Amino acid sequence: MASDSISAQQAGSPDSSDPGGADDRLTRWLHPPIRVCLWVAILAGTLMMLNVTLDVAGRTLFSVPLPGTTEVVSAYYMVAAAYLPWAWLALNDDHIKVDLFARMLPPRAALVQDVFARLATMAYLALFTWQAWVMALQQTAKGEVWEAAGFYIPVWPTRWMLPLAGGLMLLFLALQLVGRIVRPVRRRHGS
Amino acid sequence: MDTITVAIVSLAALLVLLALKVPIGVALGLISFAGFWILLNFDVALSTIRTIPYEFSANWDLTAIPMFLLMGAIVNQSGISTALFRAARLWLGGLPGGLAVATNMACAGFGAASGSSVAASAAMARLAVPEMLRHGYDKGLAAGVVACGGTLAALIPPSILFVLYGIFAQVSIVDLLIAGVLPGILTATVYTAMILIRCRINPALAPETGKVEFRANRAERWIALAEVWPLLLLILAVIGGLYGGVVSPTEAGAGGAFVALLIAVLQGRMKLPDFLASMKEAMSATAQIFFVGMGAVMYTRFLAFSGAGNFLTETIGSWAFDPILLVLALSIVYLILGMFLDPLGIMLITIPVFLPMFQALNLDLVWLGVIMVKYIEIGLLTPPVGFNVYVVKGVVGDRIPLETIFRGCFWFLACEVVIMALLIGFPEISLFLPETMR
């Protein structure tokens, strides 16, 4: 656990899934939707680069900016990039944490600590997902739009990315937790 | 409980949660939630978590973050660092400690195309350390120069830390990015001088095999330069475009990423899988930053609401008549935090606490941004948890012990004392360039 975040960082793009075990069986079915979310974020990032480049090239070279760039980039691409990879980060255990004390702990205490950190994360995600869901319903009912140069861009669909990302990560962490608690018990029975 | 007590308890609770390995973003978010609940009521607490995240992320200014990350990731995946190192080595190899000087310069060049210290150190460690060891360089020097040279990336634009600081401190991001240029060059220069002097005094640190190679390869030097000039030109264009006010940081990042991609494809360095790997790297880093960032925004709002900023300012203001004293006090706080937290975490935790003090004391926020980023980068090099040192250790494996790397960093940290004294004593070093923009 302790060295995970560091070794993952230097690898640049970590793609190592969970090293087998009970949690693997419980969470494996979530891998496809998690990947799809990551791919949508990647698509959003690519479009952001192309859209902004076109806009700046159009503006400086031909004085013809691409209308609505700011709005589409901020509301669509940005929100996708900021939230959709969350569950994938959890899958790769890549969230930033403080590891100093964990390294000094005996395995049992480390497990307790891991469970505590996970429960705190889940509680936070549950609040986030619930409220993001409420907000998404509200803005959808209102048909939220942003005003761009002379026209309106509907942005309410992007509100749904938040509960989707939060919910997926929450579900993944919950199932993984169940697996982690089951695994040591089973191992003890085996040996 | 009165508001100030709640705020101070919240700080203590934050440290406890971090020590218990709770992710920083979660700790910040949960504590602000609890804080608003205690100070006001449950509904207000819910409404902060309902409104802040989306407002924070659907923000044009912050789009510079994924674009800077993407530019760095593309440069990283394209493997141009190999060419950069080769060119630097062919041009600088004849100097005392030439390979180390070349590594330092290649780090600066790589950092100017990427905003991540960790990526810069990892890339250069893979290339330069084996070369230096093959030539019999001192292990501490070899590992130290990649760990420390990597930190240049956070100073020379593009820099993720400056974008975040600019958002939270509400200072012009362009000013900050441009303000980092001279301190970055200063750091690279002082590092180089130190390497030259050390290797001149003690040639055993860096045997002179490089010199022979250097003389033999006069023609190759120009070939090596031909390979890297498009990237160097792009770096100049990005900095120049920002300085001239032609492009915003987001546009510089997006255009920079696009042109870097174009260069990499034309030079045959990048195929589709490499591009997708860059995207994956950039998007997951973006999501990670926003996960922590939205917690930090909530915590900032909570501290502002509780009036803790004013309280701390009054408490500290009574003894810190001299802003220099405050800056020195900061150095202690950052050195301690830097031993435990990674750069992003340190920045996002300390901004909500310190910024009100800086504002109250009427200090220049651009200058403080530079100082803060410098301290955070120094924190990457100090034991027990110098993040960059661990990154280098991860790359070099068993060839160099951890203690040797930390020992190698010691000389660079000594340089940092000089650099910090200059930056604190002469704010003009940071502020000169942004001021000429007006």
Side-chain angles (χ1 to χ4, degrees), chain B residues 245-264:
Chain B
V246 185
V247 290
S248 69
T250 306
E251 293 165 348
F258 183 75
V259 176
L261 179 64
L262 217 59
I263 295 173

Side-chain angles (χ1 to χ4, degrees), chain A residues 31-117:
Chain A
H31 291 197
I34 288 174
R35 289 245 156 71
V36 169
C37 280
L38 178 72
W39 285 108
V40 174
I42 286 177
L43 182 68
T46 312
L47 289 173
M48 194 192 295
M49 174 180 77
L50 295 176
N51 202 333
V52 174
T53 306
L54 268 179
D55 179 52
V56 72
R59 197 192 63 216
T60 51
L61 302 180
F62 314 105
S63 323
V64 190
L66 214 59
T69 297
T70 311
E71 290 73 19
V72 172
V73 168
S74 318
Y76 279 84
Y77 306 153
M78 214 24 208
V79 173
Y83 296 97
L84 292 181
W86 277 12
W88 192 77
L89 290 175
L91 180 67
N92 288 283
D93 199 34
D94 209 9
H95 272 272
I96 297 168
K97 26 179 140 136
V98 184
D99 290 311
L100 185 70
F101 301 102
R103 249 174 273 167
M104 304 188 246
L105 288 175
R108 201 187 168 82
L111 180 72
V112 172
Q113 198 183 42
D114 182 57
V115 170
F116 175 78

Side-chain angles (χ1 to χ4, degrees), chain A residues 59 78 83 94 96 131 158, chain B residues 50 53-54 251 288 290 342:
Chain A
R59 197 192 63 216
M78 214 24 208
Y83 296 97
D94 209 9
I96 297 168
Q131 288 307 309
T158 65
Chain B
R50 187 165 62 235
Y54 188 86
E251 293 165 348
Q288 211 166 3
F290 278 89
D342 64 278

Side-chain angles (χ1 to χ4, degrees), chain B residues 26 91 104 117 139 143 145 166 181 204 263 309 316 323 361 411 417:
Chain B
V26 174
W91 283 87
N104 188 37
S117 302
K139 287 180 175 175
V145 69
V181 174
I263 295 173
I316 291 182
L361 289 171
W411 285 96
V417 174

Side-chain angles (χ1 to χ4, degrees), chain B residues 167-240:
Chain B
I167 297 285
F168 279 84
Q170 296 177 322
V171 211
S172 151
I173 294 169
V174 178
D175 281 8
L176 285 164
L177 291 170
I178 295 299
V181 174
L182 287 182
I185 294 174
L186 174 72
T187 307
T189 312
V190 175
Y191 281 0
T192 303
M194 183 272 287
I195 297 169
L196 289 176
I197 294 170
R198 273 190 78 201
C199 294
R200 174 59 55 84
I201 294 174
N202 180 6
L205 286 174
E208 280 195 3
T209 36
K211 214 165 211 170
V212 182
E213 204 176 291
F214 175 71
R215 290 217 184 84
N217 294 319
R218 212 152 278 222
E220 266 185 50
R221 265 188 255 165
W222 292 99
I223 300 171
L225 199 62
E227 223 178 329
V228 292
W229 74 262
L231 185 74
L232 298 179
L233 203 64
L234 173 65
I235 291 167
L236 285 179
V238 164
I239 297 178

